[in-house]
Each structure stands twice: as structure tokens, then as C-alpha cells.
Amino acid sequence: MADADGTRPRHAVLTVSEVVQETASAISLKFDRPSCGDFRYQPGQFLTFRIPGDDRGSVARCYSLSSSPATDDHLKVTIKRIAGGYGSNWFADNAVVGSEFEVLPPAGVFTPKSYDNDLLAFAGGSGITPIMSIVKSVLTEGKAGITVVYANRDDRDVIFARELDELCRAHCGRLTVIHWLDSLQGLPTPELLTRLVSPLTYTDVFVCGPAPFMAAVRNTLTGLNFDQNRLHTEVFTSLSNDPFATNLSPESAGAATAHVEIDGLTHVLDWPRNRSLVDTLVDAGIEVPYACREGECGACVCTVTDGQVTMNRVDILEADDVAGGLALGCQARPASDEVSVTFD
Ligand SMILES: Cc1cc2nc3c(=O)[nH]c(=O)nc-3n(C[C@H](O)[C@H](O)[C@H](O)COP(=O)(O)OP(=O)(O)OC[C@H]3O[C@@H](n4cnc5c(N)ncnc54)[C@H](O)[C@@H]3O)c2cc1C
Ligand code: FES
């Protein structure tokens, strides 16, 4: 959505209104919605935070919203300490009520298209955060039944244990949470998971958790011949770029001409051959949607309506959609002299 002056609001400042100690190693940070900017979000989306650095300058980290747009007035993210990690420990050690953070608007494609298709969700550890938002939204605004398989090392690591119990009681028959504790059941293997989920009926599967857990779930679903187009995954990695920086790709000799439609305005500008479209627009002071700037989140999806582009990473888009003209603005470089692009 555009501001009154026709520009799309980008960075916003969020102020912590509450810090909740969820478990010994996980905290939630609640924020009031910012008064300016478009902070509507879909369940399963994430925010990108700028964290003050020490000698490393500032760093950026993504955190899924565990709040739901259907049930919560505030915004909430839930962060688990990672041994040796910079950002997660910085938040746990420094964030207090009143702390202010520069954030990029909500982004991401780990979100259900329909709230009426039965869901099976697999969450490992902090992977419960986007699932929690999806569960609350679907229960409140849809008709789907949901089964969540939630894996943790032991019961002290279970984030949102009480909230999930309460949701199960309030939505009896629609929500089932199956807790998997490694301390009691061992690591979840494809064989064990297959036995667990074989009797269930579901249309879409959402998976978020540590890499070995996600691999076990993938192998389980492959063994069950589950339609991969119905499998939605969110991988929790740390960004290597700083998406708050004004320019991430080098200048190069030669430029194409870009015709870019955003928020009803068409901009015509030089597009250097070796520079991404997002970098080119940011550099020109044109507000454009983006979050990770690494081809991972889908915030910068656009449509090439004329001309050609090349892209380094595009694996989050379906091949058919790319063939139909969808592109990632943070990955796209011009491959023809004139390129026309539209951002929805
Ligand atoms: C879309 C998205 C949503 C996310 N949502 C959540 C969420 O809801 N909750 C959550 O807790 N996390 C979430 N994450 C993960 C989060 O962004 C961070 O990746 C996570 O908090 C770890 O960051 P960190 O800075 O603490 O660790 P980092 O400093 O990035 O380190 C991560 C690991 O790498 C190791 N490491 C660091 N530097 C080096 C080095 N030089 N050599 C070798 N090893 C090294 C560290 O020891 C640590 O084990 C999400 C990620 C994405 C992309
Ligand atoms: S900004 Fe995340 S995919 Fe382009």
C-alpha cells in the first residue's frame, strides 16, 4: 500500500511493549503496531530486524511473527537463543521494554492460501512460531482441521505449551497437537513419523524446524507420495547480506532501460546490467518491496511484462510461474535492452 505521497513505506521503528520469557532459552517480544507504514501481515510471515552491531557494524536477522492478524492487536516475535549465535543472544541479553528496532515490513510466502483445507503442520523447536500464527488464524477465520506435530528435545523446551493446550480445548475436534519429545521418543525418523501421520487426512503440509527434522519430514512425505506442490517449508537461516544497506550489488558498464510500475506510478530509469532491480530502485530513491534481498523470502515478487531478465536464485518460485513472467526483483538483472516490470 502506498502513502499519501505515492511512496511505499519501508523501514519502520517498532518499540518493545513487553518481553515474555517463554522457556529458559526463548523469549517473545511484543510490539505495538507502528502508527505509520503498512504493517498488515499474513500468518506465517516474518519481520527483518536491524540489530546494533559492535565491531561488526549492524546485522540483520529475520523472525517470524508468532502473533496472528486474526487474534492479536500487537505484533509478536519469538526468538530462541542459538549457541554461539550473535543476533539471538543479542536480543535475549539486551531487549527490554522500550527498546526500539528498525524493521522491514512483514514478508514471506509461508502462509496458507486457503483457511478451509485441512492442514498438517510439523514444527521443531522455534519452528513453532510461524505455525502458531497460522494455527490461530485458521481456527479463527477458517473451517480447516489442523494437526500439529511439535518436536522438542524435552518438555522444558516446549514454547507456547499452555497456549496450545488452551487452543485445543477451545477448538475441540479441530486442533490436535501431538508433542514429540526426543528425550522420551528418540529423534523423529521417517519410519516413526510415517506411522504417526499415515492415518491422518490433510491437504496441505507446513514444515518449519531444524534442518535434520525438516529432512525427516520431507522423506516421510516422499514415502507417502504426498504432492510436493502442497508442501510448504520455512528454513530458519541467518542473512549474510544487510538488506538495510542502500546498495548490495556492484555498478557495471552498460545499462538497460527499465519501465517499472509500482503503486500505480511508472518509473523509467537506467538499469545497470550487473545490478539487481531492487538495488537499482533503492539507489534511485524509489520505494520497492523487499526484505531479505537474497532470493529467500518472496517479498520482492514482480512480473516481467516485456523484455527478459536473468536471475541467480529463484527456487522459491514455481517453475510455471517463472515461465509465466514472475520474477524476484532482488535477483533480476536485465537480459534485454528494454525491460518492463510491474510490482503488484
Ligand atoms: C524467514 C525466517 C524466519 C525466522 N524466524 C525465526 C523465529 O521465529 N525464531 C527464531 O528463533 N529464529 C528465527 N529465524 C532464524 C534467525 O533469523 C537467526 O538465523 C537465528 O536467530 C540465529 O541467528 P544468530 O545471529 O543468533 O546466529 P548466527 O550468528 O547467525 O550463528 C548461527 C550459527 O552459526 C554459527 N556461526 C556463526 N558464525 C560462525 C562462523 N564464522 N563460523 C562457524 N560457525 C559460525 C553459530 O555458532 C551458530 O551456531 C528465522 C530465519 C528466517 C530466514
Ligand atoms: S527480497 Fe527476499 S526474495 Fe527478494
Side-chain angles (χ1 to χ4, degrees):
M1 167 179 275
D3 270 348
D5 64 358
T7 61
R8 189 186 289 263
R10 291 297 310 161
H11 309 180
V13 173
L14 296 183
T15 306
V16 176
S17 59
E18 192 180 342
V19 181
V20 182
Q21 192 73 47
E22 302 283 2
T23 65
S25 59
I27 56 164
S28 287
L29 302 179
K30 287 188 183 178
F31 306 93
D32 295 328
R33 280 167 184 273
S35 50
C36 62
D38 181 3
F39 261 72
R40 280 175 298 176
Y41 64 101
Q42 303 293 318
Q45 289 195 307
F46 63 89
L47 298 176
T48 305
F49 288 75
R50 179 179 227 161
I51 310 165
D54 36 30
D55 52 332
R56 305 150 34 130
S58 68
V59 294
R61 292 287 181 268
C62 304
Y63 291 100
S64 303
L65 286 148
S66 50
S67 53
S68 154
T71 58
D72 300 307
D73 289 333
H74 56 263
L75 303 169
K76 183 169 84 169
V77 295
T78 304
I79 301 169
K80 185 169 179 179
R81 279 187 194 265
I82 299 293
Y86 178 75
S88 57
N89 289 293
W90 190 94
F91 277 109
D93 294 336
N94 296 286
V96 292
V97 172
S99 299
E100 292 187 337
F101 294 103
E102 199 178 335
V103 296
L104 295 176
V109 292
F110 187 66
T111 183
K113 287 201 173 91
S114 162
Y115 290 180
D116 298 329
N117 294 333
D118 287 347
L119 301 182
L120 172 60
F122 292 90
S126 59
I128 193 66
T129 52
I131 303 286
M132 193 68 190
S133 182
I134 291 170
V135 164
K136 288 192 281 187
S137 296
V138 170
L139 289 175
T140 307
E141 295 188 335
K143 298 194 203 88
I146 310 171
T147 304
V148 180
V149 178
Y150 183 15
N152 281 285
R153 282 208 194 92
D154 64 44
D155 57 358
R156 287 166 301 183
D157 290 323
V158 180
I159 305 170
F160 308 135
R162 204 180 66 205
E163 204 176 342
L164 284 167
D165 274 356
E166 286 168 5
L167 284 170
C168 285
R169 275 198 295 275
H171 298 274
C172 194
R174 280 189 66 203
L175 174 63
T176 307
V177 178
I178 302 171
H179 287 283
W180 183 288
L181 300 178
D182 299 350
S183 56
L184 299 177
Q185 290 149 285
L187 290 174
T189 62
E191 294 70 33
L192 295 169
L193 290 175
T194 301
R195 249 182 270 157
L196 193 68
V197 303
S198 287
L200 304 175
T201 52
Y202 46 88
T203 310
D204 287 287
V205 176
F206 285 78
V207 191
C208 185
F213 174 71
M214 293 184 70
V217 173
R218 259 186 200 284
N219 290 338
T220 304
L221 296 170
T222 303
L224 292 169
N225 291 323
F226 182 73
D227 177 358
Q228 296 296 305
N229 291 320
R230 294 271 180 189
L231 171 61
H232 313 271
T233 56
E234 186 76 302
V235 179
F236 279 5
T237 52
S238 292
L239 299 182
S240 46
N241 277 335
D242 178 1
F244 292 89
T246 50
N247 208 302
L248 297 179
S249 49
E251 186 89 55
S252 63
T257 302
H259 304 256
V260 183
E261 194 182 320
I262 305 178
D263 295 328
L265 296 177
T266 301
H267 308 268
V268 180
L269 69 164
D270 281 351
W271 182 0
R273 299 264 172 201
N274 197 29
R275 185 169 282 182
S276 79
L277 182 57
V278 165
D279 286 358
T280 303
L281 293 169
V282 169
D283 205 27
I286 298 167
E287 295 286 353
V288 54
Y290 65 81
C292 69
R293 289 168 87 168
E294 292 182 7
E296 284 183 0
C297 73
C300 62
V301 165
C302 53
T303 306
V304 177
T305 54
D306 199 22
Q308 276 108 42
V309 298
T310 56
M311 289 182 277
N312 288 339
R313 285 197 60 190
V314 74
D315 41 303
I316 62 162
L317 298 180
E318 304 288 337
D320 287 354
D321 290 338
V322 175
L326 272 200
L328 295 176
C330 72
Q331 298 297 301
R333 269 108 179 136
S336 54
D337 290 341
E338 303 267 335
V339 187
S340 299
V341 177
T342 303
F343 286 85
D344 288 331

